Amino acid sequence: MKRMIALVVALLAFIGIAYAVTSHNDAKPATKKEVPTVGILQMMSHPALDQIHKGILKGLKDEGYKVGKDVKIDFQNAENDQSNMKTMSERFVNEKADVVVGIATPAAQALANATKKTPIILGAITDPKGAKLVKSNTKPGGNITGVSDQAPIDAQLKLIRQLMPKAKVLGVIATSSDDSAQTQAKMVDEKAAKYGFTVKDFGISSTNDLNQVAGEMASQVDAVFVPTDNTIASAMQTLVAATNAKKIPVFPTVDTMVKDGGLATIGLNQFHLGVSTGKMVAAALKGKKPATTPIHFETTGDLVVNLKVAKKLGITIPDSVVTKAEKNGEVIK
Ligand code: TRP
């Protein structure tokens, strides 16, 4: 009997060891496979770009990439400094990031200069072709694809006309060095007449001259249009302080800039642009080639109105517009 027990114990021990050995072998490939790294380069901080960054992480999560477990994120904010953008891009490439993401045009251009191999996903770049990032929006051709945030300009001009039936002169203010803003300012110049506006363009070189230029503009125009301008997006308070003083409304291109003091927009949801970008990052991690992946354009904007600002300026927003915004967009009260 004792021998029997000893035999059974030995047998169990053997099975145990065999099991341990085989299951250890099974586990090995999993521990060997490294977690991929995504390098995210954000040009600077402002509410729109911060929302895009947040959205990217959500998009990755939606596609099954849990940060820390299935993917490593190396996030860098260049604080609007060109040399930061260059060094950070080069570091991503040297450290062999699997996919890199550029949030805003200058960040994407710095990444494009640093590598022709690592897949680059564009996070809300207005004009990828105009910024020389891709050969064509439908067939990018190289290592770059992503999401464009080209705004629905016609819908925005129509909204300005609806809310300001008597307005004649539309001021357009943009930073001279911002490609994204210049692209949209040009589009407004071309389309404004169709909606009965004459355009007056105003340029700034940095936030330092924003207060003065905005003040001069406010005494020459009936309403202001602001494109997706990175510098102005970071200083909306300065702009609206100058325009509010003369009771001139500001119509921005995006939701976050209405929250920061604009009157209204039909604009692209910035968080959602980020989610779309994150999904394209996930596809690239799975091996989808940028060369043959078309640029994704988000076409429908949300109606966002700021009733606090309307009240301050003495502008009445029709009930129909408020109801529509409540249903499909956002009302800031
Ligand atoms: N489109 C801008 C660029 O290409 C970046 C951007 C995205 C942006 N959303 C914005 C700029 C909102 C200002 C406001 O550089």
Side-chain angles (χ1 to χ4, degrees):
M1 187 63 182
K2 257 190 186 165
R3 274 182 65 184
M4 257 302 250
I5 292 170
L7 206 70
V8 169
V9 169
L11 204 70
L12 284 177
F14 177 74
I15 291 169
I17 288 163
Y19 180 77
V21 167
T22 51
S23 66
H24 183 72
N25 277 343
D26 278 352
K28 225 175 188 175
T31 50
K32 238 187 182 171
K33 195 171 157 270
E34 269 187 28
V35 176
T37 301
V38 173
I40 303 179
L41 180 61
Q42 183 173 321
M43 174 201 183
M44 65 190 290
S45 290
H46 62 69
L49 300 190
D50 295 344
Q51 283 296 310
I52 293 165
H53 170 214
K54 265 198 201 157
I56 291 172
L57 303 182
K58 173 71 164 44
L60 275 166
K61 200 172 143 212
D62 288 352
E63 292 300 307
Y65 286 93
K66 247 204 186 146
V67 173
K69 190 169 155 269
D70 311 301
V71 65
K72 248 195 273 169
I73 303 287
D74 185 348
F75 175 77
Q76 298 296 324
N77 186 331
E79 311 287 355
N80 202 14
D81 181 310
Q82 286 290 344
S83 74
N84 277 349
M85 283 184 244
K86 185 167 187 280
T87 10
M88 287 163 177
S89 298
E90 283 163 1
R91 187 173 63 69
F92 283 162
V93 176
N94 290 340
E95 292 179 3
K96 305 210 169 7
D98 294 273
V99 174
V100 292
V101 185
I103 305 179
T105 303
Q109 285 170 330
L111 290 170
N113 286 335
T115 178
K116 300 277 173 275
K117 277 203 196 105
T118 311
I120 300 175
I121 303 298
L122 307 175
I125 305 306
T126 302
D127 186 6
K129 195 168 167 244
K132 299 201 166 63
L133 290 161
V134 297
K135 282 199 202 82
S136 121
N137 289 329
T138 45
K139 284 197 192 103
N143 59 327
I144 307 178
T145 189
V147 175
S148 166
D149 66 328
Q150 178 53 59
I153 301 281
D154 278 289
Q156 294 175 343
L157 288 170
K158 214 168 143 189
L159 176 73
I160 304 176
R161 178 44 78 211
Q162 186 186 4
L163 298 182
M164 308 285 296
K166 291 194 187 120
K168 287 197 184 90
V169 183
L170 184 63
V172 176
I173 184 164
T175 307
S176 343
S177 61
D178 191 314
D179 289 344
S180 160
Q182 291 300 330
T183 305
Q184 290 183 348
K186 221 172 121 211
M187 284 177 79
V188 172
D189 289 351
E190 286 164 9
K191 290 170 183 284
K194 208 161 95 192
Y195 301 89
F197 297 112
T198 313
V199 169
K200 260 196 179 176
D201 282 299
F202 294 84
I204 60 162
S205 52
S206 76
T207 49
N208 293 339
D209 46 3
L210 181 56
N211 175 49
Q212 195 208 327
V213 175
E216 283 164 16
M217 172 175 68
S219 46
Q220 300 173 38
V221 304
D222 303 310
V224 172
F225 178 93
V226 196
T228 48
D229 186 302
N230 288 294
T231 305
I232 300 178
S234 76
M236 274 298 282
Q237 288 74 10
T238 309
L239 172 65
V240 297
T243 50
N244 283 354
K246 304 213 167 99
K247 295 248 187 297
I248 299 299
V250 170
F251 293 90
T253 22
V254 300
D255 55 348
T256 49
M257 290 162 88
V258 175
K259 277 182 206 147
D260 284 344
L263 178 64
T265 192
I266 294 181
L268 301 182
N269 181 296
Q270 300 297 297
F271 181 76
H272 195 262
L273 282 171
V275 174
S276 300
T277 307
K279 289 189 171 163
M280 289 185 89
V281 175
L285 285 172
K286 287 175 190 152
K288 198 168 179 199
K289 295 272 168 284
T292 48
T293 307
I295 299 288
H296 172 82
F297 285 87
E298 218 113 309
T299 44
T300 44
D302 293 340
L303 174 61
V304 186
V305 294
N306 192 329
L307 294 182
K308 265 199 285 194
V309 171
K311 197 171 165 207
K312 212 183 272 174
L313 299 176
I315 292 172
T316 322
I317 309 258
D319 286 345
S320 62
V321 174
V322 177
T323 315
K324 208 168 151 199
E326 264 164 357
K327 258 203 207 144
N328 295 318
E330 198 175 348
V331 178
I332 294 133
K333 291 184 186 161

